[in-house]
Amino acid sequence: MRATTIHAAGDIRVEEVPDPTITSPTDAIVKVTASCICGSDLWPYRGFNDITPGDTIGHECIGVVEEVGSEVSDFKAGDFVIVPFDHCDNTCTHCRVGAHAGCVNLGFTTSGQAEYALVTQANGSMVKTDGVPDRSLLPSLLALSDVMATGWHAAVSAGVTKGSTAVVVGDGAVGLCGVLAAAQLGAERVIAMSRHEPRQAIARQFGATHIVAERDKEGADRIKEITDGVGADAVLECVGTDQSIKTAFAVARPGATVGFVGVPHDVELPVRRMFQKNIGLAGGMAPVRKYLPELLDLTLSGAIDPGLVFDLTLPLDQSPEGYRAMDERRAIKVLLEP
Amino acid sequence: MRATTIHAAGDIRVEEVPDPTITSPTDAIVKVTASCICGSDLWPYRGFNDITPGDTIGHECIGVVEEVGSEVSDFKAGDFVIVPFDHCDNTCTHCRVGAHAGCVNLGFTTSGQAEYALVTQANGSMVKTDGVPDRSLLPSLLALSDVMATGWHAAVSAGVTKGSTAVVVGDGAVGLCGVLAAAQLGAERVIAMSRHEPRQAIARQFGATHIVAERDKEGADRIKEITDGVGADAVLECVGTDQSIKTAFAVARPGATVGFVGVPHDVELPVRRMFQKNIGLAGGMAPVRKYLPELLDLTLSGAIDPGLVFDLTLPLDQSPEGYRAMDERRAIKVLLEP
């Protein structure tokens, strides 16, 4: 099949690789209808993560079931499915308490940006739609495989409640979905930290009531102003750098929780501030399957339209250009069509 | 008045210092009936915190109101009160959401181990009993000024629920109160990590169902065994060292929360594990006033008896011996009588 591969930092290719095959009875193969590039794919692209040259890349996709293993009872060839980037059995002791990201049979989509993807725990992970959805819905459904579920996890972990004030640190696709999640969960004030006009516009569409373009100390001061010196009840940390984490804790009021979903890189948590001000930290890798049924309902009913985060659609063959566009921040999030 | 003072690491004295005086209308002076030495007092005693030579020390006390400022409407001379170590107005925007430790008028008891203590936000902080309580109740009431409220905060922050499995890291007085809190909040299994026989005995009295004497990796392995490989639903971190924090996260199951109340010293949080396994961190300095009415009811009804953590009672004049006894772990917690 044709698949996006990574060979070194900055070296993304589309080439022929072997088709995935069923090797476990819990596996399924999905023919990819749409996939996309994630902010976290930029970490290896930028040389911050180890790379095995020639590995396929991409963990977000939706598509049509091609083949299932013998134990996959809930799906059959032809079903249209959303594939959580993190696969889980949805039955183990951790899944049962909603900690699907800690599933004892955890797996990941590893060839999302390709013609076919392998799902290692198909029964537990995938969620299907009634028939093949309208093409206009595909971007929003694709967003449920990771970015929207991750933004939702940030908001839930941060404890966003009706009438609360939420701050979203990060204006990437996850941050924007965090804005959407916070608004949907009833936050009265949703403050998006963003310096980029096109991203600010989407944040507003998603329900941001305030935009703060300043960063670091200036940004925190601005948020203090907006909140009459109180700070945020809930903070969504959607980047994962030391700078963004520090900003998140700086704008959190005493007793607040920072919900973090940006994969942390060289982060040192401000443990003294956390202790003195009782500011908690929760979240992590999103338990996508946990939220998927609810998010699917919200998407199909039109209550949320997370697909707006895709501002560039390319054929799979142009994956390398997609990476460049996201790396250079010319695109928020790139959708790929095999 | 006679007061315990600290002059340098290891140099504790009892000497004459000026009586505290009312300088703000929200102040009250309390004549101390009983006070005690806190594990956190050992940090400066051991040279880990800065010291201003001659400063009074001690933040836990109960006693009788001696004098009140003009705005202290709820108390009068003669009232018997429990004094939270952290003073708060109980009305500010942070207090109103239960984050009393972040009160905009935060203050602390600074001469608890003395004849008199100043309470800077008397109306908001203190809680009184009906009349002077029976002498046998004094240790348990004294425990409410910090150690029991702090153990309770660890359990509440860790999210202990009915039927859950809680692990308590630390067998100091706070850890033991954490055991009592976890049991009181309905945990089915309460695993106390303790190597010391007398502390193990109190842990059992307080409701520990399991004692793990091993530490670090061996301790974590033992807890994995007890929990059938799952780990703890809630972890109470009651020490504050890097080692204890790492143990706390090691024994937490995916999706769990570590409730931390040990003042952190040179701690580096395991942010990758927190992210990958969705293990949250919550807690910090205890909002004593928030819990005090409930804990007072539990104490007066006999449901809890946190005073058992005091295993040595000394006259105030022997404060220095009290510090030595706790430093050398000859005593769990020392009660001082002026």
Side-chain angles (χ1 to χ4, degrees), chain A residues 93-95 97 99 101-103 106 153 157 229-231 233 245 253-257 260-272 274-287, chain B residues 93-95 97 99 101-103 106 153 157 229-231 233 245 253-257 260-272 274-287:
Chain A
T93 182
H94 302 318
C95 287
V97 297
C103 177
L106 188 68
H153 190 46
S157 301
V230 174
D233 302 310
I245 283 269
R253 68 178 291 176
T257 302
F260 80 138
V261 294
V263 184
H265 280 74
D266 295 323
V267 161
E268 197 183 323
L269 296 172
V271 63
R272 292 302 289 233
M274 295 171 75
F275 186 88
Q276 283 166 350
K277 300 292 182 189
N278 274 251
I279 303 172
L281 181 66
M285 192 168 74
Chain B
T93 182
H94 302 317
C95 286
V97 298
C103 176
L106 188 67
H153 190 47
S157 300
V230 173
D233 302 311
I245 282 270
R253 67 178 291 174
T257 302
F260 79 138
V261 293
V263 185
H265 280 74
D266 295 323
V267 161
E268 197 183 322
L269 297 172
V271 63
R272 291 302 289 232
M274 296 171 74
F275 186 87
Q276 285 167 348
K277 301 293 181 187
N278 274 251
I279 303 172
L281 181 66
M285 193 167 74

Side-chain angles (χ1 to χ4, degrees), chain A residues 121-163:
Chain A
Q121 292 289 329
N123 241 8
S125 306
M126 304 191 306
V127 170
K128 64 186 164 193
T129 57
D130 292 336
V132 175
D134 187 78
R135 194 176 156 76
S136 65
L137 276 170
L138 296 184
S140 286
L141 294 176
L142 174 59
L144 304 188
S145 71
D146 180 350
V147 64
M148 182 62 212
T150 295
W152 193 262
H153 190 46
V156 169
S157 301
V160 172
T161 53
K162 270 200 205 317

Side-chain angles (χ1 to χ4, degrees), chain A:
Chain A
M1 67 171 178
R2 283 177 309 123
T4 305
T5 57
I6 184 163
H7 290 258
D11 185 358
I12 294 285
R13 305 178 194 173
V14 177
E15 50 193 356
E16 279 293 324
V17 303
D19 285 357
T21 53
I22 303 271
T23 60
S24 154
T26 61
D27 288 351
I29 308 288
V30 170
K31 187 172 198 301
V32 175
T33 301
S35 68
C36 52
I37 302 173
C38 181
S40 67
D41 293 331
L42 295 182
W43 288 107
Y45 183 79
R46 288 168 174 167
F48 291 105
N49 289 5
D50 289 339
I51 291 165
T52 305
D55 267 5
T56 56
I57 189 169
H59 53 264
E60 297 160 282
C61 68
I62 51 175
V64 177
V65 175
E66 180 83 8
E67 190 187 349
V68 296
S70 59
E71 289 177 14
V72 181
S73 52
D74 297 346
F75 299 90
K76 59 180 191 310
D79 284 343
F80 188 92
V81 291
I82 295 132
V83 182
F85 78 90
D86 45 355
H87 312 161
C88 59
D89 60 26
N90 205 22
T91 56
C92 80
T93 182
H94 302 318
C95 287
R96 285 201 307 272
V97 297
H100 297 67
C103 177
V104 298
N105 288 305
L106 188 68
F108 297 96
T109 303
T110 56
S111 66
Q113 297 157 11
E115 288 183 282
Y116 296 95
L118 177 72
V119 187
T120 57
Q121 292 289 329
N123 241 8
S125 306
M126 304 191 306
V127 170
K128 64 186 164 193
T129 57
D130 292 336
V132 175
D134 187 78
R135 194 176 156 76
S136 65
L137 276 170
L138 296 184
S140 286
L141 294 176
L142 174 59
L144 304 188
S145 71
D146 180 350
V147 64
M148 182 62 212
T150 295
W152 193 262
H153 190 46
V156 169
S157 301
V160 172
T161 53
K162 270 200 205 317
S164 63
T165 294
V167 167
V168 181
V169 181
D171 65 357
V174 170
L176 295 171
C177 288
V179 169
L180 182 54
Q184 185 70 31
L185 289 168
E188 189 175 302
R189 284 188 293 201
V190 181
I191 306 172
M193 299 188 78
S194 173
R195 292 183 301 172
H196 302 84
E197 220 311 297
R199 294 163 193 246
Q200 294 175 352
I202 296 177
R204 285 206 182 82
Q205 271 184 279
F206 278 175
T209 55
H210 300 72
I211 302 284
V212 170
E214 296 87 348
R215 301 180 81 166
D216 302 329
K217 172 93 176 62
E218 289 70 35
D221 287 347
R222 183 78 193 90
I223 285 166
K224 274 280 166 73
E225 256 177 62
I226 295 170
T227 60
D228 300 319
V230 174
D233 302 310
V235 183
L236 289 65
E237 199 294 302
C238 304
V239 183
T241 62
D242 193 59
Q243 186 190 37
S244 62
I245 283 269
K246 290 210 165 28
T247 299
F249 281 100
V251 303
R253 68 178 291 176
T257 302
V258 173
F260 80 138
V261 294
V263 184
H265 280 74
D266 295 323
V267 161
E268 197 183 323
L269 296 172
V271 63
R272 292 302 289 233
R273 178 168 168 79
M274 295 171 75
F275 186 88
Q276 283 166 350
K277 300 292 182 189
N278 274 251
I279 303 172
L281 181 66
M285 192 168 74
V288 177
R289 179 59 179 80
K290 173 183 180 181
Y291 303 125
L292 203 39
E294 179 178 7
L295 293 178
L296 181 58
D297 284 349
L298 290 171
T299 302
L300 294 176
S301 73
I304 61 171
D305 48 359
L308 288 175
V309 296
F310 296 106
D311 58 348
L312 179 60
T313 297
L314 294 172
L316 175 61
D317 286 342
Q318 290 183 36
S319 266
E321 165 54 17
Y323 275 79
R324 279 192 296 274
M326 280 182 61
D327 180 44
E328 295 161 11
R329 292 180 76 93
R330 284 184 281 118
I332 299 173
K333 193 167 175 75
V334 176
L335 188 149
L336 298 170
E337 294 179 323

Side-chain angles (χ1 to χ4, degrees), chain B residues 81-165:
Chain B
V81 292
I82 295 134
V83 182
F85 78 89
D86 45 356
H87 312 163
C88 59
D89 60 25
N90 205 21
T91 56
C92 81
T93 182
H94 302 317
C95 286
R96 285 201 306 273
V97 298
H100 297 68
C103 176
V104 299
N105 287 306
L106 188 67
F108 297 96
T109 303
T110 56
S111 66
Q113 297 157 11
E115 288 184 282
Y116 295 95
L118 178 72
V119 187
T120 57
Q121 292 289 329
N123 242 7
S125 306
M126 304 191 306
V127 171
K128 64 185 165 192
T129 56
D130 292 337
V132 175
D134 187 78
R135 194 176 156 75
S136 64
L137 276 170
L138 297 184
S140 286
L141 294 176
L142 174 60
L144 304 187
S145 72
D146 180 350
V147 63
M148 182 63 213
T150 295
W152 193 262
H153 190 47
V156 169
S157 300
V160 173
T161 54
K162 271 200 204 317
S164 63
T165 294

